[in-house]
Amino acid sequence: MVVRRRPIKVNEAISRVMAFAKAGPVEHVPIEQSYGRFLGEDLIADHHVPPFDRSPYDGFAIRSIDTAEGSRTNPIVLQVVGEIGAGSVFSETVLENQAVRIMTGAQIPDGCDAVVMLEVVKEVMIDNKPHIVLKRKVKENDNISFAGEDTKKGTIITKKGTYINPGVVAVLATFGYKYVPVSVKPKVGIIATGSELLEVDEPLQPGKIRNSNAYMIYSQVVRAGAVPIYFGQFCDDLDTCFDQVQDALEKVDILITTGGVSVGDYDFLPAIYEKLAANVLFNKIAMRPGSVTTVAEKAGKLLFGLSGNPSACYVGFELYTRPIIRQYINAFHPFLKKEKAILGKDFAKANPFDRFVRGRLSFQDGKLIATPVGLDKSNVVSSLAEANVLIVLPGGTRGYKQGMEVAILLLEDQEGTTLDAFVNTEINSRRSSRHVE
Amino acid sequence: MVVRRRPIKVNEAISRVMAFAKAGPVEHVPIEQSYGRFLGEDLIADHHVPPFDRSPYDGFAIRSIDTAEGSRTNPIVLQVVGEIGAGSVFSETVLENQAVRIMTGAQIPDGCDAVVMLEVVKEVMIDNKPHIVLKRKVKENDNISFAGEDTKKGTIITKKGTYINPGVVAVLATFGYKYVPVSVKPKVGIIATGSELLEVDEPLQPGKIRNSNAYMIYSQVVRAGAVPIYFGQFCDDLDTCFDQVQDALEKVDILITTGGVSVGDYDFLPAIYEKLAANVLFNKIAMRPGSVTTVAEKAGKLLFGLSGNPSACYVGFELYTRPIIRQYINAFHPFLKKEKAILGKDFAKANPFDRFVRGRLSFQDGKLIATPVGLDKSNVVSSLAEANVLIVLPGGTRGYKQGMEVAILLLEDQEGTTLDAFVNTEINSRRSSRHVE
């Protein structure tokens, strides 16, 4: 018999799932391995950057007062009394009409208050001693990088939850983090179900298809910032399946199954959730694709029952599983980045439910254009390869026209959106998109 | 003595470097490890997708002709003569007024030309035999996913040089690629120079700073798609340095040094290039930061002499080293993605040279806004952490105003730009930016 399920709204589904979100622990990794991770603690500057007043160029450190009368017609001559390599310190104080050769990054010697670049002086020997000739006046503080002008001691340099890009790595090195506190990646188990599935290296057979969902989800898990563990394909026997799920659940923080959640007789997951005594948060969402996405919870661990259809599986993961992973790794903005764009092509099909259409984002003259890619059937694999956004088309009775303003979700972005910003928009409202002139 | 160097334009520098670009070989990796790599060969579909006509839903396969007279007042009754699980095949031909229960993904049985969803029929028993009652007319081909409608056999599914995202992984699995041909990542050596440098775990000393460039570049190399090898910091003795460079060069495809390329007496690299008999492509570029960026070539291998200043080092890598890495891994678009944006904040400083200003991209109402971050001194580390674009400000005598249209380079993007699209824009022209109303 058909079990009629009551669909809930996307935002309601998100809110039920996020009620079980938790933050994972922190581990320390060598700085070389920190790129692409999320910072597990606030980093506070333990010293000024630069730590001392220094020269940003190769040149001569001077006393600006000595140049007060300098001009094209009145060249100033200063005696070069020493030189400072980067990393060295000049031990004396520089006196009237003296200069010190200084390398990029070296500390400004006592007595000096400016640097002149190599290119603007002439080096000459007078009485066998090196001198420079300068045909201009130099202002106090010219060409000096001051202690703390980049970062002051005690400031929070980078916040917990920051995505570690190469610039953040530079900051970490500057402050001596040979080992970096990063959020532990959750372990995400993947089980594929479906008697129609062949393993990736099996030859095709009548009525069967190769299992693409497991590998797709595997990559989505990596992209989201977690560690995937593939447990293989289910057998067709309920008891064995149950044992596999129970066993996998013990080994992971989050468990994903693909397939087996629709209302067909061969779909085991509802029975398994029952046998597990898991708390089913919902089993139907008013969205396409992915309406059969089911999420259950057992002892604080979430089980994501994603659809067996590739696109539905893909969308279900990005909307519901990704934020749980990103919350676990303490990311500031656990949801996909949500922005506005102009629809690049008509999307004629009407649908009473909210649609998440695979699309490709391009930029035209400084504007975001999102264009649906391929067919929008939930079993279409090839258009997933081209997609870098999901176009959010709220349910309604008419289709959408090129030029309308739509919300988009950026799939390859690391920055994300907060829960509030994600749900407090037009996703679930009808016909809120307006036409852009 | 000061060696006067003749600066060349950015585009000229790019063209001299790219003359030595080469494409690397292909290797095969397990599909689980293919995410984030670049495809090393075109992939051609060896079968239709779907491979057979199938049902996209759980429902009943029927003959549409049997429903021609169906309506609310004239319900059609069909006998259910069997069922097909996904992966099974129905061996008989379906006859007049018969239907077959069919699961999502299962092959449409002979005789049938449409599927009705479970939800629109009523299941009843008549003479102890299962029947369905249908109160509507069904059109031929309704709810059928046709063989090849996703991808036709023989089409190029995904091209060599494609970035492998989760959707591409799904395609690879669909076509049976348990092992995926990907471009080999080049080995990129990194050597840091500068007697002012402390290792990341050393305590601060007067006049010295911690080495941040090596770790920053290490991460940039990973982001660009290569394998970094850090050879450590140089000593201060020219002969030892020379041996280190020569030794490192043998172990890598590309060698990066940071520091040691400006005109100071302590800067060894020019002497090392000479001793190596390397072909110096240029040693000065009309740009800020990074004007001292030097590139040399020895027996077909490129040596990138990046500045010791963090921002100059960062920009030099992204403009000149990254495209060489991306070309090696056969990426379609080896250059940073270049787009137009609106300047979010005044940038008052004038400069005779083209500037690449660290900026942060945001989207406002479907438009790209790029805002300079932090101070724009070339030794500033903390603003690098916030930057996700470089704002291209062509040289000129005046500053730039908020609201002007500027070119930007996207640092976190995987898509990139071709050489032509990269250089055939306003980077090197003066004052080409115009004000946007």
Side-chain angles (χ1 to χ4, degrees), chain A residues 86 150 195 360 379 381-382 415, chain B residues 86 145 150 195 360 381-382 415:
Chain A
D150 185 359
S195 46
R360 186 143 190 91
N379 55 353
V381 167
S382 58
E415 219 166 80
Chain B
S145 295
D150 185 0
S195 46
R360 185 142 191 91
V381 167
S382 58
E415 219 166 79

Side-chain angles (χ1 to χ4, degrees), chain B residues 25-335:
Chain B
V26 170
E27 65 182 338
H28 286 74
V29 298
I31 187 169
E32 293 90 339
Q33 293 165 26
S34 65
Y35 167 67
R37 302 292 296 265
F38 285 79
L39 210 49
E41 290 170 9
D42 280 355
L43 298 189
I44 298 185
D46 68 340
H47 65 76
H48 282 335
V49 177
F52 43 82
D53 295 351
R54 69 186 178 192
S55 175
Y57 304 110
D58 290 332
F60 293 89
I62 60 163
R63 298 154 25 99
S64 60
I65 196 169
D66 295 341
T67 72
E69 306 300 324
S71 72
R72 209 172 273 237
T73 53
N74 184 37
I76 304 294
V77 179
L78 305 173
Q79 189 189 347
V80 180
V81 295
E83 65 178 49
I84 323 169
S88 307
V89 178
F90 192 70
S91 50
E92 291 147 64
T93 298
V94 178
L95 305 175
E96 201 177 333
N97 291 325
Q98 293 185 340
V100 174
R101 179 84 186 264
I102 191 166
M103 301 301 140
T104 305
Q107 187 166 341
I108 306 295
D110 286 349
C112 293
D113 62 1
V115 169
V116 288
M117 291 172 75
L118 286 189
E119 289 86 341
V120 303
V121 302
K122 201 178 154 192
E123 293 177 73
V124 294
M125 295 300 279
I126 300 175
D127 294 337
N128 246 349
K129 289 176 186 156
H131 287 70
I132 52 171
V133 181
L134 181 63
K135 293 183 178 179
R136 63 169 76 167
K137 185 178 160 178
V138 176
K139 280 182 289 186
E140 196 181 338
N141 299 338
D142 256 17
N143 291 323
I144 292 184
S145 295
F146 290 97
E149 80 170 16
D150 185 0
T151 307
K152 295 234 176 327
K153 181 176 173 174
T155 50
I156 294 177
I157 325 153
T158 314
K159 282 193 179 161
K160 176 179 172 173
T162 298
Y163 175 75
I164 301 178
N165 65 26
V168 174
V169 172
V171 175
L172 288 163
T174 299
F175 291 100
Y177 285 86
K178 190 177 171 68
Y179 295 92
V180 179
V182 297
S183 299
V184 170
K185 296 181 178 192
K187 290 197 283 288
V188 178
I190 302 165
I191 291 174
T193 82
S195 46
E196 80 282 18
L197 295 184
L198 299 170
E199 267 304 347
V200 62
D201 51 350
E202 286 184 84
L204 280 186
Q205 296 166 27
K208 304 215 170 194
I209 55 164
R210 293 203 188 93
N211 170 12
S212 59
N213 286 349
Y215 298 99
M216 178 182 77
I217 285 288
Y218 192 98
S219 311
Q220 287 176 283
V221 167
V222 174
R223 181 168 70 183
V227 177
I229 302 174
Y230 179 38
F231 289 98
Q233 291 180 197
F234 255 10
C235 73
D236 290 329
D237 159 54
L238 178 60
D239 287 331
T240 318
C241 288
F242 174 76
D243 292 343
Q244 285 175 316
V245 167
Q246 203 172 36
D247 181 52
L249 196 55
E250 277 170 26
K251 295 177 177 151
V252 299
D253 300 297
I254 295 163
L255 184 62
I256 294 173
T257 52
T258 66
V261 284
S262 47
V263 291
D265 294 344
Y266 293 90
D267 294 321
F268 283 152
L269 266 298
I272 289 175
Y273 296 140
E274 203 180 320
K275 201 168 169 187
L276 266 179
N279 165 25
V280 175
L281 309 185
F282 51 80
N283 58 18
K284 186 115 186 165
I285 308 170
M287 64 181 268
R288 293 282 184 279
S291 65
V292 296
T293 308
T294 299
V295 181
E297 171 265 333
K298 170 72 184 175
K301 282 186 188 172
L302 287 170
L303 294 92
F304 290 89
L306 303 181
S307 169
N309 282 332
S311 291
C313 183
Y314 187 99
V315 170
F317 175 90
E318 296 295 336
L319 286 182
Y320 307 107
T321 318
R322 184 184 186 280
I324 288 293
I325 292 173
R326 291 266 155 157
Q327 193 90 351
Y328 190 96
I329 57 179
N330 297 295
F332 282 139
H333 307 127
F335 289 82

Side-chain angles (χ1 to χ4, degrees), chain B residues 343-413:
Chain B
L343 191 62
K345 202 162 79 178
D346 288 358
F347 186 87
K349 199 190 271 186
N351 198 297
F353 302 113
D354 298 333
R355 263 187 186 277
F356 295 84
V357 176
R358 296 177 289 285
R360 185 142 191 91
L361 176 66
S362 59
F363 301 115
Q364 283 171 26
D365 287 325
K367 292 191 187 118
L368 286 75
I369 314 284
T371 306
V373 285
L375 301 163
D376 191 60
K377 295 205 171 178
S378 58
N379 55 355
V380 169
V381 167
S382 58
S383 63
L384 280 176
E386 287 171 66
N388 57 11
V389 293
L390 295 174
I391 305 173
V392 185
L393 300 180
T397 50
R398 288 166 304 164
Y400 286 79
K401 293 284 182 198
Q402 181 177 348
M404 279 179 160
E405 188 180 83
V406 290
I408 56 169
L409 308 178
L410 278 68
L411 295 164
E412 292 287 344
D413 163 84

Side-chain angles (χ1 to χ4, degrees), chain A residues 186-202:
Chain A
K187 291 198 284 288
V188 179
I190 301 164
I191 291 174
T193 82
S195 46
E196 80 281 17
L197 296 183
L198 300 169
E199 267 303 347
V200 62
D201 52 350
E202 285 185 83

